[in-house]
Amino acid sequence: MTFAQTPEPPYYAVIFTSQRTDGDKGYTETAGRMVELAQQQPGFLGAESVRADGFGITVSYWASEADITAWKSHAEHRIAQETGKSIWYADFAVRVCKVERAYGTVFQTA
């Protein structure tokens, strides 16, 4: 796991929190494909993700709200969203935030 290399704020973060159902049912393959596909989208800045005991948090970073909306409506992503709702997730939440400040050792340069 590495930190996303984001630009100076402002930019946007989409926080996706989920509780998985039992069994893979194609989840791992689709999750990998969604990361690959997101990286190809205009305005995608990076992502960070962690999962333990079926509970996961993924934060993706975007240049604008329009970029987030375009990603949300991408045809292949829409199929993954619907499959998530019906098969992969017992519960989930999505939060969209504007990042106005960012600081920490990850932002320091040598």
Side-chain angles (χ1 to χ4, degrees):
M1 173 69 196
T2 60
F3 287 94
Q5 298 299 308
T6 53
E8 288 291 318
Y11 52 89
Y12 292 84
V14 176
I15 306 165
F16 178 70
T17 308
S18 64
Q19 180 65 50
R20 286 283 321 279
T21 56
D22 291 333
D24 187 82
K25 303 172 192 140
Y27 175 82
T28 301
E29 181 180 340
T30 301
R33 173 66 180 146
M34 290 302 103
V35 170
E36 178 184 292
L37 191 58
Q39 291 172 337
Q40 299 170 16
Q41 302 310 301
F44 178 80
L45 302 174
E48 300 160 341
S49 186
V50 64
R51 182 167 294 283
D53 299 322
F55 184 81
I57 300 173
T58 298
V59 182
S60 60
Y61 301 98
W62 299 87
S64 72
E65 288 185 275
D67 295 328
I68 294 167
T69 299
W71 170 237
K72 183 176 192 260
S73 63
H74 185 283
E76 195 172 342
H77 186 215
R78 296 277 307 152
I79 293 167
Q81 291 170 57
E82 292 306 316
T83 305
K85 290 175 188 176
S86 64
I87 296 175
W88 296 321
Y89 301 119
D91 290 304
F92 73 92
V94 178
R95 297 166 178 98
V96 179
C97 313
K98 183 175 183 182
V99 177
E100 296 185 4
R101 282 185 308 281
Y103 52 91
T105 57
V106 71
F107 299 108
Q108 295 177 358
T109 57

